[in-house]
Amino acid sequence: MTHTMFLSILRARPGRSLRNLASSAIIVLLLTPEESLGASFQMSYLAVMAIIAFHGAYRNWRKNHPHHATTWGARIISHVKEAVIRGAGISIVSGAATGIAAGYQFGRLSPYTVFANGFALPVAEVAVLPPAVVAVAAMPFGLEYVPLKVMQFGLWFTMLISD
């Protein structure tokens, strides 16, 4: 999937499209047709399909409902809100889509997974991943303590959600 999407970007075409997803699935199935029965193939392609569809629908909704923040504080709040909406939406649609294949492949459903991921992913996007990047950049200067503390809180909160 990644290879197909990078090639389309190099050809100045949209990277995230259902056409690219179908192309990569055809390539995989031509090379290894037995993968079509595997949980990995089914779940990954269902998840990516749901994410592409959600991204397209959300992008269209944002186009029709623009929000222009004027102050820097309003912009920060707007970006955090966007991260939460995108993270929760992606988690919910991909979790629901992969739940179908997971139920078939593993013989059980985990309905709380969709909701737990929907709450945990925004926390990771805001309080775990950015502080991790800042901590790595700050390590050569010995300034990683504060970003790692923020990251520690984000990981604690993620574990609280999972429990």
Side-chain angles (χ1 to χ4, degrees):
M1 271 188 276
T2 306
H3 178 70
T4 304
M5 291 185 187
F6 280 146
L7 278 177
S8 64
I9 290 169
L10 287 174
R11 294 184 325 183
R13 309 215 9 119
R16 292 176 299 228
S17 73
L18 292 176
R19 180 176 292 167
N20 291 345
L21 182 70
S23 299
S24 69
I26 289 169
I27 292 168
V28 169
L29 292 176
L30 285 174
L31 296 174
T32 54
E34 67 276 6
E35 287 299 317
S36 66
L37 301 175
S40 174
F41 176 84
Q42 293 173 3
M43 292 177 75
S44 63
Y45 277 89
L46 282 170
V48 172
M49 181 182 64
I51 290 168
I52 290 171
F54 173 79
H55 176 72
Y58 185 71
R59 185 182 58 223
N60 291 339
W61 183 83
R62 287 297 296 152
K63 231 185 263 183
N64 296 330
H65 299 86
H67 175 72
H68 302 290
T70 56
T71 65
W72 66 270
R75 281 190 216 133
I76 290 172
I77 291 170
S78 178
H79 285 298
V80 170
K81 182 180 78 171
E82 288 289 320
V84 169
I85 291 171
R86 278 192 321 265
I90 286 170
S91 178
I92 289 168
V93 298
S94 64
T98 58
I100 299 165
Y104 172 74
Q105 292 287 343
F106 306 121
R108 69 182 190 98
L109 295 176
S110 302
Y112 295 123
T113 302
V114 173
F115 299 110
N117 285 343
F119 290 118
L121 191 60
V123 172
E125 284 184 353
V126 173
V128 177
L129 300 174
V133 172
V134 172
V136 169
M139 277 182 188
F141 309 105
L143 302 171
E144 71 273 9
Y145 181 78
V146 173
L148 287 176
K149 280 299 186 184
V150 173
M151 190 173 146
Q152 180 183 18
F153 170 77
L155 292 171
W156 170 82
F157 197 62
T158 303
M159 293 301 293
L160 183 69
I161 290 169
S162 73
D163 290 343

